[in-house]
Amino acid sequence: MKVLWFLLPLILWSEENITESFISDYEYGEMLYNSPRGVSCAECHGTSGKGKTIIKYQDIHGEEEIKGSDIRKKSLSEMINAVNSYHKIMPRYYLSDDEVKTMYEYLQKKNEVYLNSSK
Ligand code: HEC
């Protein structure tokens, strides 16, 4: 029994570490990017921020399409501005700067190879 008491702090310490790493910043960023308050960035900017066709339609000029832009090279401040302002298509979000930063870092990490190769 004495031995167990001795081990207790160690057990508590390791459990704390497990819960801390349960969700990483990367995963949190991914979660935010994919469902910020209901309207996912991924729906318009693609899962990696590369951009995506939102809708295609026909009009008198022929086939038209509305696209979500490539945001992989946007800076953190451009991202904060974009999220906090009104656009024609993109909704305005109510996300904290920290939340945008987490999404920004997630995209940076996810596109590491692309961003390094096109510097
Ligand atoms: C309904 C589609 C849609 C959604 C959802 C959306 N966007 Fe956009 N976004 C656009 C379009 C389209 C543009 C191009 C500018 C415009 O006309 O609105 C854009 C522009 C941007 C830009 C570039 C602004 C600039 O400086 O040129 C950034 C950064 C961006 N979006 C980030 C995001 C993030 C982050 C999210 C999620 C929190 C998001 N967008 C959700 C459609 C969308």
Side-chain angles (χ1 to χ4, degrees), residues 33 42 45-51 70-72 106-107 110-111:
Y33 182 77
H45 296 288
T47 50
S48 65
K50 199 175 172 183
D70 186 342
I71 57 169
R72 291 174 297 178
Y106 158 72
L107 287 180
K110 192 170 174 107
N111 296 301

Side-chain angles (χ1 to χ4, degrees), residues 32-33 36 39-41 43-45 54 66-69 71 74 78-79 82-83 87-91 93 95 103:
L32 282 173
Y33 182 77
V39 193
S40 161
C41 318
E43 268 174 45
C44 298
H45 296 288
I54 303 166
I66 295 176
K67 283 193 76 176
S69 49
I71 57 169
K74 296 288 173 193
E78 284 173 316
M79 201 133 144
V83 168
H87 310 266
K88 260 201 248 165
I89 298 165
M90 180 171 154
Y93 287 91
L95 294 161
M103 287 194 287

Side-chain angles (χ1 to χ4, degrees), residues 9-70:
L10 190 70
I11 294 165
L12 290 177
W13 177 81
S14 54
E15 270 188 6
E16 197 176 293
N17 276 281
I18 291 164
T19 28
E20 261 177 28
S21 59
F22 183 65
I23 170 161
S24 67
D25 285 352
Y26 182 83
E27 287 166 324
Y28 180 48
E30 181 173 39
M31 205 179 82
L32 282 173
Y33 182 77
N34 287 297
S35 68
R37 317 285 188 262
V39 193
S40 161
C41 318
E43 268 174 45
C44 298
H45 296 288
T47 50
S48 65
K50 199 175 172 183
K52 193 184 145 185
T53 299
I54 303 166
I55 193 167
K56 278 188 181 161
Y57 59 94
Q58 292 283 338
D59 69 7
I60 49 165
H61 308 293
E63 191 174 80
E64 298 279 346
E65 69 173 25
I66 295 176
K67 283 193 76 176
S69 49
D70 186 342

